[in-house]
Amino acid sequence: MLFDQVLVIAGLTVLIMVSPGPDMIIVMRNTILDGKRAGLATSLGVLTGNLVHIAYCAVGIGWLISQSILAFSILKYAGAAYLVYLGIMSLRGAGKGVSLEAGDGGAARARRTHVVQGFLNNILNPKGTLFYLGLFTVVITPQTSTGGVLLLVATTVSISALFWVFFVATLDAPLVRRVIEKGQGLVNRIFGGVLILLGLRVATLER
């Protein structure tokens, strides 16, 4: 039974990871424009957001959010506004050839900013709530032991982490990097437009 649950969790996690969404876009954007460390820092923020989703879904708060129109709407519009904000910042930086973190801050400050971006982008996405709520209500049953729950959580988090490491490493490959550096302003404009469109899409989500 537990082995079957692990397979289901693994399969669902892979499917959700390879599906384009706000998390993938922001990690891709920061990796391409700011480098591998920025991409990994953003991924760390996303994973931290996942852990928060898992924690509150495990104690039942996720179910309350999914059932409350007000709570779901607040989460939805906050997430949409944040995506639009990132998109606008990216468009503003397009003509200057700079990233979202343009300024005099050091590398450590930039990495913290990337972590926060990944975290907020993930935690404000209502789809994250619904995905992990589905895992805890469909895959994880009342008969699943505490150890089993921990194993399932570790499975989904580990697969997510491995995916982000592979994804960032691929985007930071020398060939990709050389191509991107030749048109950084255009890349900023593209990601700015995509982030704004994603924000508008999130704003129109139905539960």
Side-chain angles (χ1 to χ4, degrees):
M1 179 66 178
L2 182 58
F3 179 72
D4 292 337
Q5 289 174 306
V6 169
L7 289 180
V8 172
I9 287 284
L12 290 175
T13 303
V14 170
L15 287 176
I16 199 69
M17 293 304 299
V18 300
S19 300
D23 289 339
M24 180 176 286
I25 296 300
I26 193 64
V27 172
M28 182 186 298
R29 193 258 180 225
N30 286 351
T31 302
I32 289 175
L33 296 180
D34 298 329
K36 184 176 181 180
R37 289 185 178 182
L40 292 176
T42 308
S43 301
L44 177 60
V46 170
L47 289 172
T48 303
N50 287 340
L51 291 175
V52 173
H53 285 305
I54 290 170
Y56 67 64
C57 283
V59 297
I61 298 177
W63 182 85
L64 294 177
I65 292 175
S66 70
Q67 298 301 309
S68 169
I69 294 177
L70 177 60
F72 186 86
S73 296
I74 290 174
L75 190 64
K76 177 177 69 173
Y77 290 121
Y82 186 66
L83 285 171
V84 171
Y85 164 76
L86 290 179
I88 292 174
M89 293 299 291
S90 189
L91 289 175
R92 288 181 61 187
K96 305 173 184 178
V98 295
S99 68
L100 289 173
E101 283 71 53
D104 298 325
R109 180 181 177 184
R111 283 195 293 273
R112 287 195 296 270
T113 300
H114 287 124
V115 171
V116 171
Q117 283 182 354
F119 176 78
L120 290 178
N121 189 68
N122 180 269
I123 203 68
L124 294 175
N125 185 359
K127 285 296 185 180
T129 302
L130 299 180
F131 172 70
Y132 284 107
L133 182 61
L135 290 185
F136 278 88
T137 56
V138 177
V139 181
I140 300 177
T141 68
Q143 288 73 39
T144 306
S145 66
T146 301
V149 172
L150 292 176
L151 175 61
L152 294 173
V153 169
T155 298
T156 187
V157 173
S158 297
I159 291 175
S160 298
L162 289 173
F163 172 83
W164 288 127
V165 170
F166 175 78
F167 185 66
V168 169
T170 301
L171 290 175
D172 198 55
L175 178 60
V176 176
R177 176 66 53 197
R178 286 196 295 270
V179 172
I180 294 303
E181 287 175 350
K182 294 179 180 179
Q184 188 172 4
L186 176 61
V187 171
N188 255 323
R189 293 187 184 94
I190 291 174
F191 278 108
V194 171
L195 287 168
I196 291 174
L197 289 175
L198 275 175
L200 297 177
R201 181 174 179 272
V202 168
T204 60
L205 284 176
E206 298 292 339
R207 287 189 299 168

